[in-house]
Amino acid sequence: MERGNFILRKLGFAVLTLGAVMVFNFVLFRILPGDPIKLIIHSPRMTREAQERIRVTFGLDKPVWFDGERLKAGDVLGSLDSQFTAYLRNLLRGDLGISFASRRDVSQVLAERVWRTVVLVLGGNVIAIVLGIILGLLAAWRRGTRLDTAVLLGALFTWALPTFFLGIILLVLARGHLPVGGMATPGLKPEDGLVYWLDVGKHLILPTLTMAIVYTSEFILIMRSGVMEVLAEDYILTAKAKGLSTFRILRDHALKNAMLPMVTIIALTLGYTVGGAIQVETVFSWPGLGRLMYEAVQKRDYPVLQGTFLLLAVSVILANLLADLLYSVLDPRVKAE
């Protein structure tokens, strides 16, 4: 019963957060300066009537929140015919709208890009988590030694570097040795099979390495702190008194208990990783969601911005929900709080 209440409470909070994100998602991109219609129209000779037809096509002729004139006239239902209600109605139907710039369904645009960002984020995070856990564990075990100092200084240095700046440094250093932009060499297509995917893998090295270096430092610091706290516990002293080897103490006692805060920080880092992906994809011209969002901001493409932001927000909410549920399994005391 207690576990069920805990799960329901977390699910309810996730739903409320999602509702707030949906409203914020609508408001955020409409406070940007500039008229999207003027960015859509490339011909200076287009008549005002043609411009208005385009505005009607994309629903930009309607009031943002509600029609004040209809409300004053007593037409309450008619006053609700607005951009906001159309936005909510389309979301409930799974319709993310039509891109202002490409005139394509936003769902199709996102489907083409999302797997590219997933590969980049997943690859960078897996490398960062593995290296962070190993180096953090070694630094805590050899606390006060040159190894600990080197790992700590390296982590603090890379953590202080802006993601885009590190990407530019790697781009300059790798020029002539590795591909520095795009997803594949011009002329290669998926139909080329293994040759194409190997080429994509080469283009993925630098952006993945950039993300891994930046986020490894955070995992090192958290892991080092957690392991040092665990190593100070009495049961570690008892394990040493029993004659257990250092490897068994670190594996069976220190690592397991120090992983509790790591579970939370891995989920929370997902949001920062997504933000970093925007910078990395822009620096290396990687055609993922981050690059798509950057281009959509320049074009005031509201539907694409809303769809991208909503997709990223939902992924972060789900990651945090999963972290809460997993944390409650690893540490049953959480349910009692």
Side-chain angles (χ1 to χ4, degrees):
M1 185 65 180
E2 184 179 349
R3 178 180 292 274
N5 291 335
F6 175 81
I7 294 176
L8 288 176
R9 188 166 64 249
K10 292 299 180 181
L11 287 174
F13 182 74
V15 171
L16 290 176
T17 305
L18 180 59
V21 166
M22 291 170 62
V23 176
F24 182 71
N25 188 29
F26 175 80
V27 175
L28 177 62
F29 302 112
R30 279 167 175 74
I31 62 177
L32 294 174
D35 185 358
I37 296 299
K38 294 182 179 179
L39 295 173
I40 295 172
I41 299 170
H42 300 287
S43 174
R45 298 180 181 180
M46 184 172 289
T47 63
R48 184 176 298 275
E49 291 75 13
Q51 295 181 26
E52 288 302 318
R53 285 197 298 270
I54 295 177
R55 196 178 295 275
V56 171
T57 300
F58 290 107
L60 296 175
D61 60 315
K62 298 178 180 179
V64 177
W65 298 103
F66 60 89
D67 192 333
E69 295 182 0
R70 288 190 177 185
L71 185 60
K72 291 179 181 179
D75 185 5
V76 178
L77 293 178
S79 66
L80 297 178
D81 185 18
S82 63
Q83 295 182 36
F84 180 66
T85 54
Y87 160 75
L88 292 179
R89 186 168 56 249
N90 290 335
L91 277 184
L92 293 176
R93 294 184 304 188
D95 182 7
L96 297 178
I98 303 297
S99 169
F100 291 168
S102 64
R103 310 294 200 278
R104 297 175 58 204
D105 193 308
V106 173
S107 300
Q108 295 179 355
V109 176
L110 294 180
E112 292 177 356
R113 300 285 191 117
V114 65
W115 70 269
R116 300 167 184 171
T117 297
V118 169
V119 171
L120 174 61
V121 170
L122 186 62
N125 271 277
V126 168
I127 296 174
I129 291 170
V130 173
L131 288 179
I133 290 175
I134 294 175
L135 293 177
L137 185 64
L138 291 176
W141 174 45
R142 305 293 295 174
R143 180 183 179 182
T145 63
R146 293 182 178 179
L147 175 63
D148 178 34
T149 303
V151 171
L152 190 58
L153 288 177
L156 292 174
F157 175 75
T158 55
W159 197 16
L161 286 176
T163 305
F164 72 90
F165 182 67
L166 176 61
I168 293 174
I169 292 177
L170 293 180
L171 187 149
V172 173
L173 294 177
R175 188 177 297 276
H177 304 283
L178 289 171
V180 295
M183 180 177 169
T185 301
L188 288 178
K189 299 179 180 179
E191 292 78 12
D192 296 324
L194 184 60
V195 175
Y196 172 80
W197 293 111
L198 288 176
D199 188 69
V200 171
K202 291 180 180 179
H203 283 77
L204 192 60
I205 291 176
L206 285 181
T208 302
L209 185 61
T210 302
M211 297 196 70
I213 291 175
V214 170
Y215 296 105
T216 295
S217 56
E218 183 174 4
F219 294 132
I220 288 175
L221 297 175
I222 297 297
M223 193 65 190
R224 177 179 179 275
S225 177
V227 172
M228 286 196 303
E229 183 177 346
V230 170
L231 291 178
E233 297 290 339
D234 292 337
Y235 61 82
I236 297 295
L237 183 61
T238 302
K240 292 180 180 179
K242 290 181 179 180
L244 295 180
S245 65
T246 301
F247 177 76
R248 288 195 60 186
I249 293 175
L250 292 175
R251 185 193 65 184
D252 298 337
H253 299 283
L255 181 60
K256 181 179 179 180
N257 290 281
M259 283 301 295
L260 290 174
M262 282 293 291
V263 171
T264 302
I265 201 64
I266 288 172
L268 294 177
T269 302
L270 177 61
Y272 298 104
T273 305
V274 170
I278 296 175
Q279 301 178 47
V280 171
E281 290 180 4
T282 301
V283 171
F284 294 101
S285 300
W286 181 260
L289 291 178
R291 180 71 180 179
L292 178 64
M293 180 176 286
Y294 173 77
E295 294 170 351
V297 169
Q298 293 180 317
K299 299 175 182 177
R300 302 296 187 272
D301 197 341
Y302 293 158
V304 171
L305 285 171
Q306 289 176 172
T308 307
F309 182 82
L310 185 62
L311 179 61
L312 298 180
V314 169
S315 66
V316 173
I317 292 173
L318 290 178
N320 285 312
L321 176 61
L322 181 62
D324 287 336
L325 298 179
L326 184 58
Y327 201 100
S328 68
V329 173
L330 296 175
D331 190 354
R333 295 172 299 176
V334 174
K335 298 191 293 295
E337 295 179 357

